[in-house]
Amino acid sequence: MLSVKDISFAYGEEVIFENVSFDCRPGQITSIIGVNGTGKTTLLKCIAGLQKLRSGEVFINGRARKEMSKEEFAASVGYLDQNNYCDAQLNVYEVILLGRIRNLSFKVSEEDRRRVESVSDMLGITRFLNRNITDLSGGQRQMVFIAQTLVKEPKLLILDEPTSALDINHQFKLMNLISRLTRERELTTLTTLHHLDVASKYSDSVIVLNDRGVYTQGSSDSVVTREMLREVYRVESEMFTDAYGCVHAVPTKEL
Amino acid sequence: MRTRTGENAFSYKKHTKKKALLIVTGVILCLVAFFLNLLVGSSGMSISDLVGVIFDPGHAEPVNRIIVWQYRLPMAVMGILAGFVLGLAGATMQTILNNPLASPYTLGVSAGASVGASLAIVLGLGSYFALGRLLVPVCAFVFAFLACAGIYFFARVKNFTSETMVLVGIGMVFLFQAVQTFIQYMASAEELQTAMFWTFGSLSKADWFNIPVIFAVLLACFIYIYSNSWNLTAMKLGDEKAKVLGVDIEKVRMRMFVAISLMTSVTVAFVGCIGFIGIIGPHIARMLIGEDQRFFLPFSCICGTVVLSFASLLSKIIVPGTIFPIGIITSILGVPFYFVLLITKKRKH
């Protein structure tokens, strides 16, 4: 369970968001949507401990983050960065293995190897385990870092635009996998997404960020509305619900 | 999301065995270079004479015994140790600063040592009988450490970001070079010659006093740095990714820097400025073995040792009968390498 209580962040005098509060439940996917520059990535970084909060607190399973040691926090949180650039001379296997860093000694155990191989198989990246990370495309690197995040087996999964570099086939496969793991392993998953239809299809709860904080939050069909798109995204749109019950928005006019 | 893996199955065990084999090959090359350094010198010596002097010194020719035990063996051992230290320092520095051009030489540690040694020579500290032998390296050590301390304290203000450390290091090079020029300007011709010779870097300063000192410092620093192998490997992914994995990057960077400063300052104080080993060694290692630091660190040390030992060999045969300063050879070999590296790095980005 993740609870975010009244958190605020600023770069110097420039306030990025203020008094943001929400809860994310285990076994559910919570998505954050909003226009570019509203601080979605910064918000995730604050929750993942990569940026210092100006005020407020983040609680994981009822415990304040500042009460947790760095090791304890790192063990329970898996964070996928939006930026997957990497120029290290490491092969894919070695990069994924680093997700197990807290367990590793000089000799890599059978158990750690088994977990790396299992997660690689699950994500369909076994065929390039021996390739250098620098030789991969952006989408392939994205899959490698997702594997590194999952091999850690965290209870809280924070994903910043996990589908941004992926084609539609891989987007579909990855979101299905995240959805399955979230339910099977009772993970608390918080993700930012740009595609409203992906957010609508896979999220149990959607948070919309605007200029300084949360505009609204709730189930996807209650959040993704013509009014929200007009006020937050500044577009007029046509809305329809598909055969699977997912809400889709087609922009028709810029405001 | 399953996929067929069959024919492309990757074996991590085989992969690590290959790396271990490369390290063994490197150790063999080190031993060959070490043996050749014992064999080659201004006076000829056969292999059987050399073996006799080493394993049965009591029955060896006194001249050969002196040549091997007082000159060639300390120089060869120092070649191994200095190569090891400079390779390790370069590899660790490049990793913590995420900059392939970082080394004790390019960040002003060696320039600091040169200023210390030159100052001691110009002030005449080297002529204080028994103490004189020690005062020049002590001064070199103090100034090399001052360069490191300068980088450390400025970097601390900015939470040990790699950019600050590199920029302050470059500033240190310019500062110490200016001081060095001033000292040279004030020195007499004789002092200038002695100071210049010191800055060339030479293994001939090796003796049975400074070798154990360097060995002890190196051993302690190597164990400490090596115990952080996984943290250092994670830092190669970038600061944010390492942080997310639970690495306290500021703390690791700061502690590694202290270890690098200590072992480099001690070594440079005794052998002078031997340039580019800290860049060449790690780069050869990176190309051959990758950056899993469990293998990269020892292999960088080995590559540094092999390059320095062969450069030492070259320094003995380039002008027969004299020992050419090894720092000149490593720089002449290193500068073109440095340029190639700069050009290829630019292309990559």
Side-chain angles (χ1 to χ4, degrees), chain B residues 58-71:
Chain B
H59 292 95
E61 287 266 333
V63 180
N64 284 346
R65 199 166 57 221
I66 290 168
I67 289 173
V68 171
W69 283 93
Q70 282 190 20
Y71 298 100

Side-chain angles (χ1 to χ4, degrees), chain A residues 45 70 74 81 83 85 89 91 93-94 101-102 105-106 113 121-122 124 126 130 148 152 173, chain B residues 1-2 5 10 12-13 15 19 226 230 237 240-241 244-246 248 286 290-292 294 349:
Chain A
K45 282 186 177 176
K70 279 186 178 171
D81 196 354
N83 169 21
Y85 173 75
Q89 295 300 313
N91 69 22
Y93 195 106
E94 289 162 338
I101 191 167
R102 293 296 121 206
S105 55
F106 176 77
R113 289 206 305 270
D121 192 27
M122 207 158 61
T126 319
N130 60 343
Q148 189 193 64
K152 204 173 166 184
K173 285 178 175 173
Chain B
M1 242 177 171
R2 280 165 195 279
T5 59
F10 169 73
Y12 184 69
K13 266 188 175 175
H15 176 71
K19 292 188 175 189
Y226 196 74
W230 285 114
L237 301 179
E240 275 202 351
K241 287 190 169 63
V244 167
L245 292 170
D248 192 336
R286 190 173 289 116
E291 290 183 294
D292 176 342
R294 291 173 304 152
H349 292 294

Side-chain angles (χ1 to χ4, degrees), chain B residues 219-236:
Chain B
L219 188 66
C221 292
F222 181 79
I223 291 171
Y224 184 66
I225 292 172
Y226 196 74
S227 68
N228 276 279
S229 293
W230 285 114
N231 286 338
L232 291 169
T233 309
M235 283 173 81
K236 281 305 302 174

